[in-house]
Amino acid sequence: MDNIKSRVDELRNILNEANYNYYVLDNPTITDQEFDAYLRELENLEAKYPEYDDANSPTKRVGGMVIDKFSKITHKIPMLSLPDVFNEDEIRDFDERIRKSGFNPEYVCELKIDGLSVSLRYENGKFISGATRGNGVEGEDITHNVRTIKTVPMIIKDNVSIEVRGEIYMGKETLAKLNFEREKEGLPKLQNCRNAAAGSIRQLDSKVAAKRNLDTFIYHLPNPLDYGIKTHYEALEYMKKLGFKTNPNNRLVKDINGIMDFIHEMGEKRDELPYDIDGVVVKVNDLEMQKKLGFTSKFPRWAIAYKFPATEVLTKLEDIIFTVGRTGRITPNAVLSPVIVSGSTIRRATLHNAEYIYEKGLKIGDTISIHKAGDVIPEVGEVKLERRTGNEKDFVMITNCPICNTPLVKDEDKTDHRCPNEKCPSRMINSLIHFASKGAMNILGLGDSVIEDFFNLGFIRSIPDIYNLYNHREDLVELEGYGNKSVNQLLDSIDDSKLNSLERLLSGLGITGIGDKTALALSKKFKTIDRLMELSVEELTNIKDIGATLANNIYSFFNDSNNIELINTLKELGINMEYKGEEEINNELITGKKFVVTGTLDFASRDEIESLIEKYGGSTSSSVSKKTDVVIVGRNAGSKYTKAMELGITIWDEEQARSIFKDLGEI
Ligand code: IVH
């Protein structure tokens, strides 16, 4: 038996090594036939002696494990992303900021691989789990699929317990082949390498993922100090030594000039690379320096992602159509022949105002460039004059509202055209949409298209109609797509909104110049709408951050007889008109999480930290259990710290907690 076990081990070693040489080093050491022969021998032994079966065996690379749903994995240290910068000046600012903090940093420049980030955990040298980034705190368990990625070692070359992070991606050629196959099968093509990689890793059946030929680059070691490592570059080398695939273009540079050189070189090399990149990542090399620079609530302060200039594509401007906003503002919109830009299909783009169209010299029928950087809204670039055929039509600005036909007005010092008719259906619909929106009254189930439908059906024509909607219950349940349940839910959420604190109503009323922030500041200061309605222009102008124009807007709004009537009607309908105190503020890292604070912290007392956590919607408890999400650990922390470690709970040390609360403006 022992002989068999040692042959099994030997075969696994041979196959792992061959796999590593082939996939990671791109330097095959045995032939495909030899590889297959060893693999078959191992498969036979494993089938015959199931006691030697092992999830990390090279025979498992082909997949076969099917899960019924993705479970969650909590990251021991949050998985942060990086702040994006879009030009060289912003990189210089980054460097200057660090220098101003008294450092003279070296940097590591890396390619920004366009895939999805992954965290890989190993215990005593063996692979145990793989997780996606998820919301940064909790990701999805994709272990079964990660096992099929050939460049992820199942056994690393040192018997350590370690977590490493990197990018899972799909190579350009793999995507091309996959799309070729999909087309033959009549399936829609996958739009880009990133979507293809993300879709492949989210397969329940690992056989499917195995066929997708995914790959990895590992670029981050979350706990470098545990391994006696002092710089990020050393961390990269250490991970490479352990058997991970690191990117051969990683480069240690002395200063900002080195960064710029790297960016220029890689910009040129970009198209030749066998995988997609969307920029360059710059990281401070010295880990002690990194630690001192710390984190904001979302990002490390010691790294940035430079995004290459937007990709540009050409398309045809088919038409220009106009929309009328809540305030009557007319927005011209480009109707485009659909094009894919940076992976998404674009059919419309805003043209802002008539002036913008004249400046660009757009004609209907023109070929124009469209660009889009990352997730940014697509923008119209320029007209390709050389593509003009003579059949293009001049753009003529409309003179009347496209919805109610009222002649448009143009405010003297402004470029915008406006429909002055307050009863313009489009203005009314958009005002109602604004009133019910998330930032204002937050009425669930009363979204844009529902409001539009109800408006057209005559159920909701004004704000008070929302609160009288229950009179139409019978009609509503008859509507297609509605039933008793959804109508009840909608009416309940309308009812709930009556209890909102004053600032929500104030934002919802749509007073020109009053956004969420001013609404909150005014509500906090004056507490009731009655008090706000009594204020003189002078009193309003005296308020911090409220200038003469805004003061006038507020004053005229509250002294307009229609608005006074509206507010009185809403009062009668039972809508709260008072400020109700601090609203819980949402924060990705805190809201909904269970915290334990232990040990002595310098930046605030334990009580203060606990009330901050509660302010951001987290809860606190005095003992650590499996249900705890985060343990904040100060000096001389004892058993709670140890327990948190044992349970694998996320731990924030003083510095991390301090920087999170600092960024929230709390300390
Ligand atoms: S470093 C704290 N390095 O880009 C370190 N990220 O916004 C965080 N990415 O979420 C990541 N290539 O998915 C790093 N060489 C690289 C990267 C890289 C791609 C992705 C990653 C991250 C996002 C940054």
Side-chain angles (χ1 to χ4, degrees):
M1 275 303 229
D2 271 348
N3 275 344
I4 290 166
K5 174 75 172 96
S6 55
R7 180 64 182 158
V8 166
D9 287 344
E10 188 183 12
L11 287 166
R12 284 179 185 162
N13 282 338
I14 296 172
L15 290 163
N16 280 333
E17 206 46 37
N19 193 56
Y20 172 72
N21 288 323
Y22 185 91
Y23 288 103
V24 180
L25 303 183
D26 198 12
N27 177 26
T29 45
I30 61 175
T31 63
D32 288 359
Q33 288 78 0
E34 280 172 305
F35 187 92
D36 286 344
Y38 288 129
L39 190 66
R40 232 168 299 125
E41 185 184 347
L42 180 59
E43 273 167 356
N44 289 336
L45 287 175
E46 284 176 357
K48 209 157 157 198
Y49 303 96
E51 63 270 36
Y52 297 140
D53 201 14
D54 186 336
N56 282 342
S57 169
T59 54
K60 301 290 191 289
R61 292 283 192 190
V62 291
M65 174 148 168
V66 184
I67 57 170
D68 38 312
K69 70 178 192 18
F70 289 95
S71 44
K72 301 276 182 211
I73 289 190
T74 304
H75 301 301
K76 282 190 179 163
I77 299 178
M79 269 181 99
L80 301 183
S81 60
L82 301 177
D84 289 332
V85 300
F86 296 94
N87 57 52
E88 297 191 354
D89 283 347
E90 288 180 294
I91 307 176
R92 291 185 198 277
D93 290 348
F94 164 75
D95 176 55
E96 262 164 38
R97 220 168 30 243
I98 294 173
R99 291 174 172 282
K100 281 213 182 106
S101 321
F103 300 110
N104 183 18
E106 286 188 333
Y107 295 105
V108 177
C109 295
E110 298 172 15
L111 298 179
K112 187 169 184 302
I113 315 297
D114 207 5
L116 65 141
S117 44
V118 66
S119 149
L120 306 173
R121 274 163 59 181
Y122 293 78
E123 250 163 41
N124 302 321
K126 297 198 178 93
F127 174 71
I128 55 156
S129 67
T132 61
R133 189 169 93 88
N135 61 9
V137 174
E138 195 177 62
E140 273 176 334
D141 186 343
I142 49 166
T143 308
H144 67 304
N145 287 334
V146 171
R147 285 190 198 284
T148 69
I149 305 178
K150 312 284 199 312
T151 51
V152 174
M154 291 296 105
I155 293 169
I156 49 180
K157 295 177 193 277
D158 200 352
N159 190 17
V160 285
S161 296
I162 196 167
E163 176 180 350
V164 298
R165 293 178 181 171
E167 201 84 352
I168 294 182
Y169 68 92
M170 182 181 281
K172 292 179 188 168
E173 212 180 296
T174 306
L175 177 68
K177 279 189 195 148
L178 180 63
N179 273 338
F180 179 74
E181 294 302 324
R182 287 177 72 90
E183 229 181 347
K184 274 203 302 200
E185 289 165 34
L187 294 167
K189 283 202 206 176
L190 300 173
Q191 288 198 329
N192 56 39
C193 292
R194 178 169 25 95
N195 290 357
S200 306
I201 214 69
R202 288 205 86 268
Q203 296 288 332
L204 296 169
D205 180 352
S206 63
K207 267 213 181 84
V208 182
K211 289 201 189 102
R212 294 288 173 90
N213 200 10
L214 296 171
D215 210 331
T216 53
F217 281 121
I218 300 302
Y219 50 64
H220 185 63
L221 180 62
N223 271 322
L225 302 176
D226 293 359
Y227 308 90
I229 285 169
K230 297 212 160 44
T231 66
H232 175 62
Y233 201 75
E234 271 174 54
L236 290 170
E237 300 213 303
Y238 177 58
M239 295 189 288
K240 184 173 172 191
K241 208 179 90 205
L242 289 178
F244 293 103
K245 181 168 167 184
T246 55
N247 192 288
N249 297 293
N250 294 339
R251 185 184 300 170
L252 180 60
V253 302
K254 287 257 167 297
D255 53 23
I256 185 81
N257 296 328
I259 299 179
M260 295 305 171
D261 289 346
F262 185 82
I263 288 180
H264 298 148
E265 272 178 53
M266 294 306 148
E268 286 185 6
K269 208 169 159 181
R270 183 179 184 187
D271 290 339
E272 292 158 29
L273 292 168
Y275 43 83
D276 271 353
I277 59 170
D278 59 343
V280 160
V281 175
V282 182
K283 301 171 183 172
V284 167
N285 189 33
D286 187 289
L287 297 176
E288 194 58 37
M289 230 181 262
Q290 282 192 2
K291 200 167 168 200
K292 286 192 182 133
L293 287 162
F295 296 85
T296 70
S297 60
K298 279 166 82 185
F299 303 127
R301 288 206 181 81
W302 40 263
I304 43 167
Y306 164 77
K307 295 278 200 94
F308 286 132
T311 26
E312 214 178 56
V313 296
L314 298 185
T315 188
K316 191 171 163 202
L317 176 62
E318 300 278 0
D319 199 359
I320 295 178
I321 57 167
F322 300 87
T323 45
V324 188
R326 159 170 75 85
T327 58
R329 205 181 127 192
I330 307 289
T331 308
N333 299 281
V335 179
L336 307 167
S337 300
V339 267
I340 295 174
V341 193
S342 306
S344 36
T345 305
I346 311 294
R347 293 187 171 82
R348 292 278 155 92
T350 178
L351 293 170
H352 306 288
N353 52 50
E355 222 45 57
Y356 182 88
I357 301 175
Y358 295 135
E359 261 167 40
K360 291 207 179 278
L362 301 182
K363 291 186 181 209
I364 294 164
D366 266 338
T367 301
I368 55 175
S369 64
I370 299 289
H371 52 225
K372 179 172 175 258
D375 297 327
V376 181
I377 299 165
E379 281 245 23
V380 171
E382 53 179 18
V383 183
K384 298 287 160 191
L385 292 173
E386 67 279 11
R387 299 269 193 118
R388 285 232 166 118
T389 60
N391 293 330
E392 294 75 16
K393 275 195 282 171
D394 281 340
F395 162 72
V396 186
M397 182 58 193
I398 46 171
T399 53
N400 290 54
C401 175
I403 307 295
C404 68
N405 207 30
T406 308
L408 301 180
V409 294
K410 198 171 169 197
D411 301 339
E412 252 174 41
D413 50 342
K414 300 221 175 93
T415 38
D416 294 336
H417 287 78
R418 281 190 324 104
C419 166
N421 175 14
E422 282 181 3
K423 298 262 176 291
C424 169
S426 186
R427 288 188 61 173
M428 288 166 76
I429 290 173
N430 282 315
S431 303
L432 289 163
I433 289 175
H434 173 78
F435 183 84
S437 70
K438 209 167 159 205
M441 293 299 268
N442 192 24
I443 306 177
L444 293 173
L446 208 55
D448 303 11
S449 55
V450 177
I451 290 185
E452 207 174 325
D453 288 348
F454 288 2
F455 185 91
N456 292 330
L457 289 163
F459 297 159
I460 299 182
R461 287 281 165 134
S462 67
I463 294 172
D465 288 351
I466 297 179
Y467 294 98
N468 288 320
L469 188 67
Y470 65 91
N471 291 326
H472 296 280
R473 174 194 285 278
E474 311 282 285
D475 304 317
L476 294 177
V477 288
E478 294 301 317
L479 290 178
E480 206 184 311
Y482 282 82
N484 256 322
K485 196 169 158 212
S486 56
V487 169
N488 285 344
Q489 274 173 350
L490 174 61
L491 294 176
D492 281 351
S493 56
I494 290 175
D495 232 25
D496 289 348
S497 76
K498 290 182 177 172
L499 303 175
N500 284 340
S501 182
L502 174 62
E503 63 277 13
R504 289 194 169 273
L505 174 66
L506 212 51
S507 315
L509 291 173
I511 307 168
T512 315
I514 296 205
D516 305 3
K517 267 208 182 131
T518 328
L520 183 62
L522 287 172
S523 307
K524 255 188 186 167
K525 197 167 164 79
F526 298 103
K527 306 283 189 275
T528 68
I529 206 151
D530 292 339
R531 180 76 192 96
L532 276 168
M533 292 173 81
E534 287 163 11
L535 296 175
S536 66
V537 175
E538 200 188 343
E539 280 172 296
L540 283 160
T541 323
N542 284 337
I543 303 168
K544 192 172 152 267
D545 294 334
I546 294 193
T549 322
L550 186 51
N552 269 312
N553 283 347
I554 300 173
Y555 181 82
S556 12
F557 183 90
F558 284 128
N559 286 280
D560 175 296
S561 60
N562 287 329
N563 293 333
I564 298 175
E565 195 189 317
L566 169 67
I567 291 166
N568 286 334
T569 314
L570 291 176
K571 262 187 203 165
E572 280 159 25
L573 286 164
I575 281 92
N576 170 56
M577 306 257 162
E578 288 177 16
Y579 175 60
K580 288 189 162 179
E582 289 273 335
E583 264 202 77
E584 210 174 73
I585 310 168
N586 271 319
N587 175 278
E588 202 189 358
L589 296 171
I590 304 175
T591 312
K593 305 246 153 12
K594 294 192 177 58
F595 283 77
V596 173
V597 187
T598 180
T600 319
L601 292 118
D602 291 327
F603 72 89
S605 72
R606 208 176 301 169
D607 281 347
E608 284 166 339
I609 297 175
E610 289 185 349
S611 60
L612 280 177
I613 291 169
E614 277 151 24
K615 175 169 171 189
Y616 287 90
S619 60
T620 56
S621 127
S622 55
S623 60
V624 176
S625 75
K626 269 195 286 190
K627 291 198 180 132
T628 311
D629 295 295
V630 181
V631 178
I632 300 183
V633 178
R635 269 179 287 115
N636 304 324
S639 60
K640 290 181 197 172
Y641 182 31
T642 335
K643 187 154 183 205
M645 298 265 271
E646 277 167 16
L647 293 173
I649 290 165
T650 304
I651 291 169
W652 294 356
D653 61 12
E654 162 127 32
E655 229 170 72
Q656 212 169 345
R658 181 207 301 268
S659 94
I660 288 169
F661 289 118
K662 194 162 172 221
D663 277 291
L664 292 168
E666 295 294 352
I667 48 171

